[in-house]
Amino acid sequence: MAVKLSSASPAFERDFRSLLDSKREASVDVDEIVRSILEDVRARGDAALLDYTVRFDRVTAGSVEELRITKAEIDAAMESVDPETLKALELARDRIASHHARQIPKDDRYTDSIGVELGSRWTAIGAVGLYVPGGTANYPSSVLMNAVPAKVAGVERIAMVVPSPDGILNPLVLVAARLAGVEEIYRVGGAQAIGALAFGTETIAPVFKIVGPGNAYVAAAKRRVFGTVGIDMIAGPSEILVVADGRNDPDWIAADLLSQAEHDESAQSILITDDADFAERVDRAVATQLRTLPRSDVASASWRDFGAIIVTESLEEAPALVDRIAPEHLELAVDDPEDMLSRIANAGAVFLGRYTPEAIGDYVGGSNHVLPTARSARFSSGLSVLDFVKRTSILKCNADNLRQLGPSAIALAKAEGLDAHGRSVAIRLNL
Amino acid sequence: MAVKLSSASPAFERDFRSLLDSKREASVDVDEIVRSILEDVRARGDAALLDYTVRFDRVTAGSVEELRITKAEIDAAMESVDPETLKALELARDRIASHHARQIPKDDRYTDSIGVELGSRWTAIGAVGLYVPGGTANYPSSVLMNAVPAKVAGVERIAMVVPSPDGILNPLVLVAARLAGVEEIYRVGGAQAIGALAFGTETIAPVFKIVGPGNAYVAAAKRRVFGTVGIDMIAGPSEILVVADGRNDPDWIAADLLSQAEHDESAQSILITDDADFAERVDRAVATQLRTLPRSDVASASWRDFGAIIVTESLEEAPALVDRIAPEHLELAVDDPEDMLSRIANAGAVFLGRYTPEAIGDYVGGSNHVLPTARSARFSSGLSVLDFVKRTSILKCNADNLRQLGPSAIALAKAEGLDAHGRSVAIRLNL
């Protein structure tokens, strides 16, 4: 069902390019409605947020304060969760926290060879908004993956928003919030929630940055408020690229390909192998497993429309193809994955060896599952503590330093026609 | 001329908010024309790029290849530059390189307490586009500030674009490019240059990220291609905030305020002091210095429309005000600037003490002068080596690790209704 490419074919370059260029996202144009919702929330605050929430989510509430999730609601969610799931969420929380703690950047202060003091100082962003989707993509693991790194970074205030269409809210999302230490939660969503976080309302204080996934309205709203606040990446449909030699169990690799295909009809799963026979066996295993998969409709559509099997003459060809695909998730199911990794530059997250299915990274590996999609691993990284801090650069000269550096600064200011720049130096040196 | 605020006044909070909310940028709506230029460059490549360049920049050329700056042109620029300016640019280049080398992030590989291998690996972005404006904002120092960190990060290919309206090109920009090691330079600009870098043309290979300042067309084009490529921040007009006690020379502080005011009529210079008499003397010194400043028209307009002097009862009030302003540039001209810095969170770059005029940081301090404007220091940082690298997260389990972590991953996959995720783990454990 998936498209099959062979690197030995004369048409390979053309076919591979067409795979790279395939447009997977339906670009719904919601920009105009999003613009008007944002303007309305900016102008009318709480009243607008409440109006849209009542209308779009069909909930009843007399004020935004009523839309705030109470401590009692979170307590109730904690009591409703089964012990196994709670234990798994706690393990995930702890492993995410440990891994991300290593990402906290270190301040740097030093004196250079001529005595000038320089430095970089990192501080946490003061207030962050976390968007959590309602409906089918409402994942407690995503709450942990976004909130835990923010907490580790030292963010003081995290305001979470999550819509409850028809009043329905997944209690596991509240459990994950509690485990991550998030206490300020509002039952709102869509562009109106993004507007409330960015501009603030009477009830919700504005934040400085908004993270978290969302639908087309949320994505468009985040793009529009970018500048007023910071935003994380705009995530596209999930992807996996598996590089596998013929010594893998085809059932294992098929399961890995389907683990992304089941996310979304626009998800993409690709296999690169040097063994044409193995490729056939994986393809058949995918077909077999699809028959018993609960989300078979979604996974079948993804595999049919965007799945691909690329057979190469040698796995030596793989690194260059990987770099062009720049996958969100990359599995290297080969004998020496470290060697292959050393020849690859572009991938959001890499899963090494035959015993690291990507799903481990989605939940309990400890690394983040918010990763660059749509080939953006060529220029961007997964979510990390760095997304919740900012750097201030520090410069300190004494009179002697200024005497040494000043004349060059004055010369460059003159060359650029910026006399006041030069003056601010010259005046201190009596020049 | 600048607005004057006193923190003792009952109207202070209202006035301060109004200062924070003042809209400094004329929002020219160029989005529609930019959209059509980008589409045309994407569709017609070189032909479109050439058409727009000939039309908008009034240059004659028969091909995009002819728009590439030759080695001979750069050689000629190198010979035309006066020795003092060349020496100053070399000093700036060397100091920027030394400082930014300290920002190269370290890879991290480790084995956790249960034996799982994790890590973060950093690699340079493969190809970066550098936009350099033509006309009045055509600064060789900006070329260094953007290109040197990219080189330090290990970026293999830097493609620079700079328009030459009526064929005029500042030779110092070519000198700075040569000093930074940039060799691929095209005489093109505007949205068409951004399109060429993002999508590629027959002559110009596409890049993965575009950095550098530009006018409204360039900014709109960068916003539009964001996603296809990475972009740096969208820079707004420059700003300086000086916190000064009464023991400063008012002429020095006035010079510092004017060094940003001369950039742009929309630039903003703010003084916070606890000494009302000193505030008056600075105000008079600004007026005096404006009379002899070559860019007096620009600086006067900026100081009149956006300048502010805030008199507080005590400098203890300063840190909280600074954090709300979140300035691009912050000078702390006080006795104990380190102590004050420790109580401030939001600033792009800080200049400590009485002998560190901001202009030193613009040229030869070593830190970067590309900094967050428009209060975005609340959530973002100045340009650094981190803008030219990306991180791949690494996870490696063996069979034993998978046995330990697997059941929790399966439990969470089940809780999220993602059975194929669970299967990819269970199948390896014969569960």
Side-chain angles (χ1 to χ4, degrees):
Chain A
M1 302 209 286
V3 64
K4 285 169 196 172
L5 283 70
S6 164
S7 72
S9 151
F12 179 71
E13 180 58 25
R14 189 201 62 201
D15 294 346
F16 186 72
R17 272 182 198 242
S18 142
L19 182 71
L20 288 181
D21 291 343
S22 64
K23 187 110 183 132
R24 289 189 287 134
E25 272 187 291
S27 55
V28 196
D29 192 3
V30 298
D31 205 46
E32 195 45 44
I33 176 131
V34 163
R35 190 191 55 72
S36 91
I37 292 172
L38 289 176
E39 273 182 18
D40 197 22
V41 171
R42 184 171 209 162
R44 296 198 300 128
D46 275 353
L49 180 61
L50 190 63
D51 282 355
Y52 291 114
T53 303
V54 168
R55 193 193 319 167
F56 295 151
D57 295 343
R58 301 164 300 280
V59 297
T60 50
S63 71
V64 171
E65 194 52 49
E66 284 179 40
L67 293 170
R68 181 160 176 173
I69 306 262
T70 62
K71 194 174 161 298
E73 284 176 275
I74 306 176
D75 290 341
M78 291 296 289
E79 278 167 38
S80 76
V81 63
D82 76 88
E84 192 192 5
T85 306
L86 180 62
K87 221 183 101 196
L89 283 170
E90 284 170 340
L91 177 72
R93 187 259 327 262
D94 293 345
R95 291 187 58 85
I96 296 165
S98 306
H99 178 69
H100 286 75
R102 301 177 70 100
Q103 295 173 343
I104 300 171
K106 287 186 181 54
D107 290 351
D108 183 30
R109 280 298 290 270
Y110 66 100
T111 304
D112 73 9
S113 58
I114 65 163
V116 177
E117 289 182 52
L118 296 104
S120 294
R121 191 194 55 162
W122 295 90
T123 45
I125 295 175
V128 166
L130 167 53
Y131 192 92
V132 177
T136 53
N138 187 281
Y139 298 138
S141 60
S142 285
V143 174
L144 296 180
M145 291 290 178
N146 281 277
V148 173
K151 279 280 172 186
V152 168
V155 172
E156 279 195 16
R157 175 176 167 240
I158 302 176
M160 177 170 140
V161 293
V162 52
S164 61
D166 299 307
I168 294 164
L169 190 58
N170 180 356
L172 288 179
V173 162
L174 301 185
V175 170
R178 167 69 58 84
L179 293 181
V182 177
E183 287 164 359
E184 182 184 346
I185 309 174
Y186 304 93
R187 202 186 269 282
V188 297
Q192 59 274 19
I194 298 297
L197 291 171
F199 308 129
T201 70
E202 296 88 335
T203 304
I204 304 179
V207 300
F208 304 155
K209 183 164 184 170
I210 301 175
V211 300
N215 63 17
Y217 293 87
V218 172
K222 280 168 70 180
R223 266 184 195 272
R224 281 203 162 261
V225 299
F226 174 51
T228 301
V229 295
I231 60 169
D232 61 349
M233 67 194 83
I234 307 282
S238 194
E239 312 152 3
I240 189 169
L241 170 58
V242 181
V243 178
D245 58 35
R247 288 176 298 285
N248 286 281
D249 184 327
D251 285 329
W252 296 15
I253 302 302
D256 298 350
L257 294 169
L258 288 174
S259 75
Q260 294 309 299
E262 77 170 341
H263 262 299
D264 189 329
E265 294 185 0
S266 303
Q268 182 165 51
S269 304
I270 302 177
L271 168 66
I272 295 180
T273 181
D274 59 348
D275 184 329
D277 181 55
F278 176 75
E280 282 308 311
R281 284 184 287 144
V282 171
D283 199 22
R284 284 197 299 272
V286 167
T288 305
Q289 292 184 28
L290 273 173
R291 286 203 284 272
T292 55
L293 197 65
R295 292 174 63 84
S296 175
D297 286 359
V298 171
S300 296
S302 159
W303 183 243
R304 178 190 68 223
D305 295 340
F306 302 111
I309 294 179
I310 301 172
V311 177
T312 57
E313 295 185 86
S314 150
L315 283 183
E316 293 294 309
E317 298 166 41
L321 297 176
V322 171
D323 275 346
R324 290 176 69 186
I325 295 170
E328 180 190 18
H329 302 108
L330 172 66
E331 281 185 21
L332 299 180
V334 297
D335 276 340
D336 190 350
E338 300 279 359
D339 174 67
M340 189 174 285
L341 176 59
S342 72
R343 288 178 287 140
I344 289 169
N346 302 336
V350 181
F351 304 86
L352 299 179
R354 307 188 198 276
Y355 283 92
T356 320
E358 185 277 325
I360 286 291
D362 279 339
Y363 294 119
V364 291
S367 50
N368 210 291
H369 80 197
V370 181
L371 294 164
T373 57
R375 304 182 64 208
S376 63
R378 292 170 300 157
F379 54 81
S380 64
S381 311
L383 197 72
S384 79
V385 165
L386 290 176
D387 292 289
F388 299 103
V389 294
K390 64 261 185 329
R391 189 177 44 81
T392 298
S393 65
I394 296 165
L395 196 60
K396 186 179 188 179
C397 291
N398 57 30
D400 183 53
N401 304 149
L402 196 64
R403 265 189 296 275
Q404 283 192 69
L405 293 180
S408 292
I410 295 168
L412 291 176
K414 190 178 158 207
E416 294 189 348
L418 295 172
D419 295 75
H421 282 65
R423 265 193 200 175
S424 70
V425 177
I427 201 169
R428 285 169 164 87
L429 299 172
N430 292 311
L431 292 177
Chain B
M1 301 209 286
V3 64
K4 284 169 197 171
L5 283 70
S6 164
S7 72
S9 152
F12 179 71
E13 180 58 27
R14 190 200 60 200
D15 294 346
F16 186 71
R17 273 182 197 242
S18 140
L19 182 70
L20 288 181
D21 291 343
S22 64
K23 188 110 183 131
R24 290 190 284 134
E25 271 187 290
S27 55
V28 195
D29 193 1
V30 297
D31 206 45
E32 195 45 44
I33 176 133
V34 163
R35 190 191 55 71
S36 91
I37 292 172
L38 289 175
E39 272 182 18
D40 197 22
V41 171
R42 184 171 210 162
R44 295 199 299 127
D46 275 355
L49 180 61
L50 191 63
D51 282 355
Y52 290 115
T53 303
V54 167
R55 194 194 318 167
F56 296 150
D57 295 343
R58 300 162 301 279
V59 296
T60 49
S63 71
V64 172
E65 195 50 51
E66 284 178 41
L67 292 170
R68 181 160 178 173
I69 306 264
T70 62
K71 193 174 162 299
E73 283 175 276
I74 306 176
D75 289 343
M78 290 296 289
E79 276 167 38
S80 76
V81 62
D82 76 87
E84 193 192 5
T85 307
L86 180 62
K87 221 182 101 198
L89 284 171
E90 285 170 339
L91 177 72
R93 188 259 327 262
D94 293 345
R95 290 187 58 85
I96 296 165
S98 305
H99 178 68
H100 286 75
R102 301 176 69 101
Q103 297 173 342
I104 300 171
K106 287 187 182 55
D107 290 351
D108 184 27
R109 280 297 290 269
Y110 66 101
T111 303
D112 73 10
S113 57
I114 65 163
V116 177
E117 289 183 52
L118 295 106
S120 294
R121 192 194 55 164
W122 295 90
T123 45
I125 295 175
V128 166
L130 167 52
Y131 192 93
V132 178
T136 52
N138 186 281
Y139 298 137
S141 60
S142 286
V143 174
L144 295 180
M145 291 290 179
N146 281 278
V148 172
K151 278 281 172 187
V152 168
V155 172
E156 278 195 14
R157 175 177 167 238
I158 302 176
M160 177 171 140
V161 293
V162 52
S164 60
D166 300 307
I168 294 164
L169 190 57
N170 179 356
L172 287 179
V173 162
L174 301 184
V175 170
R178 166 68 58 87
L179 293 181
V182 176
E183 287 165 359
E184 182 183 346
I185 309 173
Y186 304 93
R187 199 186 271 280
V188 297
Q192 59 275 18
I194 298 297
L197 290 171
F199 308 128
T201 70
E202 296 87 334
T203 304
I204 303 179
V207 300
F208 303 153
K209 183 163 185 171
I210 301 175
V211 300
N215 63 17
Y217 293 88
V218 172
K222 280 168 69 179
R223 266 185 196 272
R224 281 203 162 262
V225 299
F226 174 50
T228 301
V229 296
I231 61 169
D232 61 349
M233 66 195 85
I234 307 281
S238 195
E239 313 151 4
I240 189 170
L241 170 58
V242 181
V243 178
D245 58 35
R247 289 176 297 284
N248 286 282
D249 184 327
D251 284 329
W252 295 15
I253 301 301
D256 297 350
L257 294 168
L258 288 174
S259 74
Q260 294 309 301
E262 78 171 339
H263 263 299
D264 190 329
E265 294 185 0
S266 303
Q268 183 166 52
S269 304
I270 302 177
L271 169 66
I272 295 180
T273 182
D274 60 348
D275 184 328
D277 180 56
F278 176 74
E280 282 309 310
R281 284 184 287 144
V282 171
D283 199 25
R284 285 197 298 273
V286 167
T288 305
Q289 291 185 28
L290 273 172
R291 287 203 284 273
T292 54
L293 196 64
R295 293 173 62 84
S296 175
D297 287 358
V298 170
S300 296
S302 158
W303 183 242
R304 179 191 67 224
D305 296 339
F306 303 110
I309 295 179
I310 300 172
V311 178
T312 56
E313 294 183 89
S314 151
L315 283 184
E316 293 294 308
E317 300 166 40
L321 298 176
V322 170
D323 276 345
R324 292 176 68 187
I325 295 170
E328 180 191 18
H329 303 108
L330 172 66
E331 281 185 21
L332 299 180
V334 296
D335 275 340
D336 191 350
E338 300 278 359
D339 175 66
M340 188 172 286
L341 175 60
S342 72
R343 287 179 286 140
I344 289 169
N346 302 336
V350 181
F351 305 87
L352 299 179
R354 307 186 198 278
Y355 284 92
T356 320
E358 185 278 324
I360 287 291
D362 279 340
Y363 295 119
V364 290
S367 50
N368 210 291
H369 78 197
V370 181
L371 293 164
T373 58
R375 305 181 63 208
S376 63
R378 291 170 299 156
F379 55 81
S380 64
S381 312
L383 197 73
S384 78
V385 165
L386 290 177
D387 291 290
F388 299 104
V389 294
K390 65 258 183 336
R391 189 177 44 81
T392 297
S393 64
I394 296 165
L395 196 60
K396 186 179 187 178
C397 292
N398 58 29
D400 182 53
N401 305 147
L402 196 64
R403 265 189 296 275
Q404 283 193 71
L405 293 180
S408 293
I410 294 168
L412 291 176
K414 190 178 158 208
E416 295 188 348
L418 295 172
D419 296 73
H421 282 64
R423 266 194 200 173
S424 71
V425 177
I427 201 169
R428 284 169 165 87
L429 299 173
N430 291 312
L431 293 176

